[in-house]
Amino acid sequence: MRCGVAIDLGTSGYRAQKIDLDTEEIRRTVITLRNPLPGANVMDHMDFAIHYGQDLAHGLSINAVKNLFQALDVKSEELERLSICGNPIQLSIFQGISIEDLAYAGERKKKKYNIQEQDRSARIVHSSEIPGFDEYDCEVVVPPAIKHEVGADALALIIKSGMLDSDEISIATDYGTNAEMALKVKDIIYTGSAAAGPALEGQQIRHGNLASPYTISDFEFENGGLRNYILSEEMKSVPGDIIDPSTGEILKEGQIKAKGITGTGVIALIEKGIECGLIELPKIKTPDGLIHMQNRMDFSEKDLTEAGKAIGAIRAGHITLCSTAGIEMADIDTAYMAGAAGTYMDAAKAQKIGLIPYATGKIFQLGNTSLAVAREILLSEKRLWELQDIASQIIGTHIMFATAPEFRDVYVLELAYWEEGMPFKMFKKYLKKKGLPELGEPIQNPIIEKRVERDIPVLGEEGLHVLERVGTYMTMIVDCPECKKCIKVCPTGAISIDEENRVMISTDLCEGAHCQRCIRACPPEKFNWENLEVFKQKLQE
């Protein structure tokens, strides 16, 4: 079989498909539940690469892709073509391209350090041109960015939504860790990335999980209890148990067990909790401060805060784009939702809590647009150059939310609302006081069209395979006493030390820049991340 592989290099995890290049049929789909780089978001990944070496970050990404090949049952001799899609940071790290032009926003800083913008146009290169990938003999197909900071994933979102073909004011959002978003007003596309964090993809939530089989994806109140809806092995929603949310008592058993909750489940739980009075921000109004789910899982006030920060970041991004474009939130006619969260989320519930502009009357759910584009350019070189032409023609205005005063002002209000219990009337009052776009009034019964049933519509005849662990490690030899403090302080169990004093850090479990407890617990001359190397070990069967 002439074999090709399409990969979405996502911030929260990689998604890959093995494809028969002769028949163009998808044979197998593999997803990871985490990214191989330490950290939970793109800023963590960028920080890690800048501070500890882009070669180290590149090696982890390459090893993760090799592990995907093994899980896809792809042999090096049969691989003819590989295509990738994702944000500029993930694509650059995989290719071994410098990310310094993405890391520093200020032009004066770039000039001071002589940082040059990298060319991120569409390209096809041989695998031997990518460091660490020379054992393969295949083409690597890379889609274009719109601008150096507006990547191929944003282009995929814009194109697959169809917003370019409409005169309506529309907004498209990938509800993932980076929360890429694009607002179209007349012929101008306004883009931004809210770096919302992984809560909407089920991470940084105690029982959270990326959308995968046996995870809770939705809730409804039914017969006096909370009905859990769970994704099956085919990634279809199946009724689970009905639970008393205050006590955890099973009121009625369902058809399926659960191992975690997705970000979409979190959104549904918050909306239902607010609706019935279980949640009065920032508190959960149950005797133990927990909302109980099936299989003895629960949702805490800490989980609520994490989710609130993510929801707030996305709404702040929407408001900032509207402010830049000079429109009100109520002017947006159509909203497009992409990514796993955007697919499995109940759109009506999402709109009620502010993830979609309140007054928007038409909502379309698109699935994983990044993987869809990776598959298109794998099968058609012509499509790759079409995308380059489209990217070159888009009149784009990118807003760097990190430096935008509008985003700062709105996000402060969002934190006050979600974490401090600021009344919503006061929230809206302060928006008006600062001259920011108003939210508009909630619409009744918006038109919702789900274009796909799953975020990855076709899994292939060999089905979906989930890698619970990415299988990438960093390692170094330490000369330490037997205190094992680094192991004790690690909150995720990412660290182990063998009999030869070799430290092994499971990079997908490591929380990276926003943790680093191991570094603070140990003497720097003993435990220094700058001594870490990529451990070249293939995924175990």
Side-chain angles (χ1 to χ4, degrees):
M1 183 183 75
R2 295 176 58 244
C3 176
V5 174
I7 305 181
D8 167 28
L9 299 173
T11 301
S12 60
Y14 290 0
R15 292 90 171 168
Q17 292 190 314
K18 176 182 179 180
I19 298 172
D20 185 325
L21 294 178
D22 291 318
T23 65
E24 300 189 355
E25 291 181 354
I26 297 166
R27 302 297 295 271
R28 178 183 293 194
T29 301
V30 173
I31 65 173
T32 72
L33 298 184
R34 295 177 181 86
N35 188 288
L37 270 64
N41 57 58
V42 73
M43 301 309 293
D44 288 343
H45 298 165
M46 185 185 293
D47 177 90
F48 174 80
I50 293 294
H51 283 97
Y52 300 106
Q54 294 185 46
D55 288 343
L56 185 59
H58 168 72
L60 292 172
S61 182
I62 289 291
N63 276 8
V65 168
K66 289 179 180 179
N67 289 344
L68 280 176
F69 287 169
Q70 186 171 342
L72 287 166
D73 192 26
V74 171
K75 308 293 190 298
S76 59
E77 63 272 13
E78 69 180 5
L79 181 64
E80 290 194 10
R81 179 175 272 212
L82 166 69
S83 63
I84 56 176
C85 193
N87 68 54
I89 293 167
Q90 303 295 343
L91 292 190
S92 298
I93 286 174
F94 173 79
Q95 295 175 84
I97 296 173
S98 172
I99 61 169
E100 288 185 335
D101 60 324
L102 302 171
Y104 301 105
E107 292 303 320
R108 290 199 314 181
K109 188 94 169 180
K110 291 180 181 179
K111 188 174 181 180
K112 178 181 178 181
Y113 291 104
N114 194 30
I115 295 171
Q116 303 297 319
E117 284 194 8
Q118 300 294 317
D119 182 8
R120 294 186 171 86
S121 303
R123 67 181 194 145
I124 300 176
V125 299
H126 191 267
S127 53
S128 60
E129 296 183 42
I130 296 177
F133 227 57
D134 48 7
E135 66 191 80
Y136 300 96
D137 181 16
C138 68
E139 293 179 329
V140 180
V141 187
V142 186
I146 300 173
K147 288 184 169 183
H148 83 284
E149 72 274 67
V150 186
D153 56 344
L155 178 63
L157 172 65
I158 291 166
I159 290 173
K160 300 305 287 184
S161 69
M163 65 193 308
L164 293 176
D165 302 321
S166 171
D167 293 330
E168 294 181 333
I169 295 176
S170 57
I171 194 162
T173 308
D174 188 328
Y175 290 89
T177 302
N178 288 343
E180 293 88 2
M181 53 188 70
L183 173 69
K184 180 178 180 291
V185 180
K186 296 182 179 178
D187 292 327
I188 301 176
I189 302 286
Y190 301 86
T191 60
S193 175
L200 295 185
E201 297 204 279
Q203 298 177 34
Q204 289 188 342
I205 302 294
R206 183 184 173 195
H207 294 286
N209 231 314
L210 201 66
S212 54
Y214 308 108
T215 51
I216 303 170
S217 62
D218 201 0
F219 293 91
E220 294 289 351
F221 275 99
E222 185 178 324
N223 298 328
L226 194 63
R227 169 74 82 176
N228 294 237
Y229 285 88
I230 301 162
L231 295 176
S232 68
E233 287 191 3
E234 293 77 29
M235 298 291 283
K236 296 180 179 180
S237 182
V238 176
D241 296 348
I242 299 178
I243 302 290
D244 183 328
S246 296
T247 65
E249 178 188 355
I250 300 174
L251 303 180
K252 184 178 180 181
E253 288 196 8
Q255 303 173 18
I256 190 169
K257 299 299 180 185
K259 66 176 184 181
I261 180 172
T262 67
T264 61
V266 168
I267 295 307
L269 189 61
I270 292 173
E271 191 275 327
K272 285 300 171 191
I274 292 174
E275 180 185 61
C276 72
L278 280 174
I279 295 175
E280 292 181 10
L281 295 175
K283 299 293 184 182
I284 292 176
K285 311 297 285 187
T286 60
D288 57 4
L290 301 170
I291 298 178
H292 295 270
M293 305 176 288
Q294 83 169 62
N295 296 109
R296 298 184 179 180
M297 293 184 290
D298 54 54
F299 185 79
S300 68
E301 289 175 358
K302 181 177 181 296
D303 295 331
L304 179 61
T305 296
E306 289 295 330
K309 288 189 288 189
I311 297 166
I314 289 175
R315 181 160 58 188
H318 288 169
I319 292 172
T320 302
L321 292 182
C322 287
S323 178
T324 304
I327 66 169
E328 300 293 338
M329 292 276 276
D331 293 332
I332 298 174
D333 301 303
T334 305
Y336 299 97
M337 306 173 69
T343 303
Y344 298 115
M345 199 181 292
D346 184 315
K349 295 186 180 84
Q351 189 171 35
K352 287 178 183 177
I353 62 172
L355 281 168
I356 300 166
Y358 289 137
T360 297
K362 289 179 286 186
I363 303 169
F364 298 92
Q365 295 174 278
L366 310 176
N368 187 322
T369 54
S370 186
L371 183 59
V373 163
R375 189 167 57 249
E376 287 179 3
I377 61 176
L378 180 82
L379 296 172
S380 171
E381 182 176 334
K382 179 183 177 182
R383 180 58 168 160
L384 175 70
W385 306 122
E386 286 176 354
L387 294 182
Q388 180 62 71
D389 288 342
I390 294 170
S392 302
Q393 292 168 18
I394 288 176
I395 303 172
T397 299
H398 183 68
I399 297 91
M400 191 71 70
F401 290 161
T403 58
E406 300 92 341
F407 186 86
R408 177 200 61 208
D409 291 343
V410 178
Y411 196 53
V412 167
L413 296 178
E414 292 286 357
L415 293 178
Y417 173 67
W418 289 100
E419 296 186 10
E420 305 297 332
M422 171 191 274
F424 197 51
K425 285 184 178 180
M426 189 175 293
F427 181 102
K428 294 194 287 187
K429 177 182 176 182
Y430 276 108
L431 283 179
K432 188 173 183 179
K433 186 176 180 180
K434 288 187 172 290
L436 292 163
E438 297 185 24
L439 299 177
E441 296 300 319
I443 193 170
Q444 299 297 321
N445 301 317
I447 298 169
I448 299 171
E449 181 182 311
K450 208 164 187 172
R451 292 184 179 173
V452 293
E453 188 175 357
R454 298 181 293 239
D455 64 317
I456 305 174
V458 181
L459 300 175
E461 63 181 37
E462 297 173 19
L464 174 68
H465 298 251
V466 179
L467 290 185
E468 299 280 349
R469 300 293 308 282
V470 180
T472 51
Y473 300 87
M474 296 184 298
T475 185
M476 62 182 167
I477 301 292
V478 294
D479 179 19
C480 288
E482 295 296 321
C483 69
K484 304 287 179 70
K485 279 187 180 178
C486 56
I487 296 175
K488 294 173 185 175
V489 299
C490 181
T492 60
I495 302 175
S496 62
I497 302 179
D498 65 19
E499 295 176 353
E500 298 178 355
N501 283 346
R502 181 183 296 276
V503 173
M504 295 284 285
I505 300 178
S506 301
T507 60
D508 55 337
L509 294 181
C510 177
E511 294 193 347
H514 99 251
C515 176
Q516 296 191 343
R517 295 183 193 179
C518 56
I519 296 175
R520 295 193 293 270
C522 302
E525 70 275 10
K526 300 286 186 181
F527 193 99
N528 189 337
W529 270 34
E530 292 180 359
N531 296 331
L532 287 167
E533 298 178 346
V534 175
F535 185 72
K536 296 181 179 179
Q537 173 182 295
K538 289 187 176 181
L539 186 69
Q540 297 297 313
E541 293 290 348

